[in-house]
Amino acid sequence: MKLKINEVIKEKGYLKKHVAKEMGIDPNTLSRYITGRRRLYLDTAVNLAEILNCTVDDLYEKDR
């Protein structure tokens, strides 16, 4: 399943560095989540969804 984190961040009008700071992580770590080089575990996805005011489902591209 492909992540849509970058798209959601842009839709919400946030800066990646602001989101990373709110999550308490380094911006490079957020970048790794976005590119798929780091696994996004459920607890982190829930935290990210809360920060972005969306659902965890919104962070993933739907399979067709």
Side-chain angles (χ1 to χ4, degrees):
M1 214 181 296
K2 185 177 180 224
L3 292 170
K4 296 189 333 180
I5 298 170
N6 202 38
E7 291 86 344
V8 175
I9 290 172
K10 285 180 183 178
E11 285 173 14
K12 299 291 182 172
Y14 291 114
L15 295 174
K16 289 182 222 172
K17 67 180 180 179
H18 171 75
V19 174
K21 183 177 180 182
E22 288 293 314
M23 291 179 73
I25 62 174
D26 187 86
N28 290 325
T29 302
L30 179 59
S31 227
R32 288 184 191 103
Y33 288 135
I34 290 170
T35 61
R37 291 184 309 198
R38 185 174 181 137
R39 177 177 278 190
L40 183 67
Y41 289 102
L42 183 58
D43 58 336
T44 307
V46 169
N47 183 27
L48 181 57
E50 287 175 1
I51 291 166
L52 295 175
N53 195 30
C54 67
T55 66
V56 171
D57 242 15
D58 293 335
L59 300 176
Y60 291 90
E61 190 172 284
K62 310 296 185 268
D63 290 334
R64 295 178 188 185

